Amino acid sequence: MQLRKKYEAIARIAENSKGKRLRAFVASAMLVAFPVFIQAPLVRIAPALSFALTGLWLWLGYRWMKQPALNLWGDLIVGFSWTWLAGSIYWGWFRTNPYIHLPLEAVGLPIVLVLMYYGKAKIGNYFYLGSLLGTAITDIYFYCVGLIPYWQKLMMRPPAEAGQILHGALLRMETYEGVGYAIVLLTLLVMLGTIPMRSQSTKWWAFSGAILSTILVDSLFFVAAVLS
C-alpha cells in the first residue's frame, strides 16, 4: 500500500512539473490565437468543412492522450475541439446575431462538465473554461460600451465598409465609458489569468494561458480599428 502511494505521489509530481505547466500555458495561448488566423477565414469560405474538422480534432486529441510523449497536447486538443465547434457554428451560420454568441460559445460546456465529473481530459477542460470565461468578459465589454450595433454592421455590410465601421467602434471605445470599462475588465482578466498560476497544477496553468491570451486576441481587433 505504501509503495502504491509513493508511485501515485511521483505521478502527481510528474504531471504537474514546472516544465509541463509552462508548456500547457504556452500551448493554451497558441490554441486561443490559432482560430483567429486559421478558422476565421476558413469558416467564411467553408463553414461545413470547419464544422466537420471538429471530429478530426477530437480523434487526434484522444489518440494523442494515449501516448505519453503527446499526452499534454492531446488533452489540450480535446478541450480545443469544443471551442472550434462553437466557432464553426456561430461564425459559420449565426455571426450576424451577436446576442447568441455567448450561448453558442458555451455549446461544449455540458460535455466538459461530464468529462470533469469523470476526471477525463482535465487540462483540456480547464483550457476550455478559461477560453469561455475570457470570451464572456469580452462580450460584456461589447454590451456595456454599446459595440453590438457595430458588430452586426461589420458582419452584414460589404468588406469595403469595414474600415468605416471599425472607426465608429473605435470612437465608442475612446469615450470615458469605454476606457473605464476597458480598465475594469482588463484588470479582471489579468487577475483571473495570473492568480491560478500560483497553483502547482498544470490544468490551472492551461486555464491561465487561455484567459491571458484573450487580451492578445482582443488587442488585435483594437489595432485593426486603429489602423482602419
Side-chain angles (χ1 to χ4, degrees):
M1 182 64 70
Q2 290 182 347
L3 185 61
R4 180 181 177 182
K5 290 182 178 179
K6 181 178 180 180
Y7 279 121
E8 288 177 350
I10 293 173
R12 284 195 297 270
I13 293 173
E15 179 182 357
N16 298 308
S17 65
K18 185 176 181 180
K20 188 172 183 179
R21 293 197 301 270
L22 289 174
R23 289 195 300 273
F25 179 87
V26 173
S28 295
M30 291 171 57
L31 288 174
V32 169
F34 180 74
V36 176
F37 301 102
I38 303 299
Q39 188 179 31
L42 174 63
V43 79
R44 282 182 172 270
I45 301 170
L49 174 59
S50 180
F51 180 84
L53 283 174
T54 304
L56 175 62
W57 293 125
L58 282 172
W59 173 81
L60 187 64
Y62 278 112
R63 183 171 182 178
W64 282 5
M65 283 179 67
K66 297 177 181 180
Q67 303 179 37
L70 298 172
N71 177 265
L72 173 62
W73 276 103
D75 201 330
L76 282 169
I77 288 176
V78 170
F80 169 74
S81 300
W82 313 126
T83 64
W84 183 276
L85 172 64
S88 298
I89 296 173
Y90 178 77
W91 296 107
W93 293 284
F94 300 99
R95 60 178 174 266
T96 58
N97 188 351
Y99 296 102
I100 62 172
H101 177 239
L102 192 56
L104 286 180
E105 286 290 339
V107 68
L109 186 58
I111 303 173
V112 166
L113 293 177
V114 171
L115 291 174
M116 291 178 70
Y117 178 79
Y118 287 102
K120 305 294 184 181
K122 295 179 183 178
I123 300 173
N125 292 336
Y126 276 74
F127 162 80
Y128 173 80
L129 293 175
S131 178
L132 182 60
L133 182 56
T135 298
I137 292 174
T138 300
D139 280 18
I140 289 172
Y141 178 78
F142 272 70
Y143 281 108
C144 291
V145 181
L147 295 177
I148 296 298
Y150 298 96
W151 181 337
Q152 290 177 308
K153 290 179 183 178
L154 194 61
M155 294 297 107
M156 298 175 69
R157 300 287 180 82
E161 299 181 21
Q164 182 180 357
I165 297 170
L166 287 171
H167 181 68
L170 180 62
L171 293 178
R172 286 290 305 164
M173 295 165 64
E174 290 178 339
T175 62
Y176 288 115
E177 182 183 28
V179 173
Y181 277 116
I183 293 173
V184 171
L185 294 177
L186 179 61
T187 302
L188 180 61
L189 278 172
V190 172
M191 289 177 58
L192 291 172
T194 54
I195 291 176
M197 293 174 69
R198 299 176 182 176
S199 171
Q200 300 298 309
S201 177
T202 303
K203 63 187 180 184
W204 281 113
W205 281 63
F207 179 88
S208 292
I211 286 189
L212 292 177
S213 60
T214 302
I215 299 174
L216 174 62
V217 172
D218 291 345
S219 299
L220 294 177
F221 290 104
F222 177 76
V223 171
V226 171
L227 296 177
S228 63

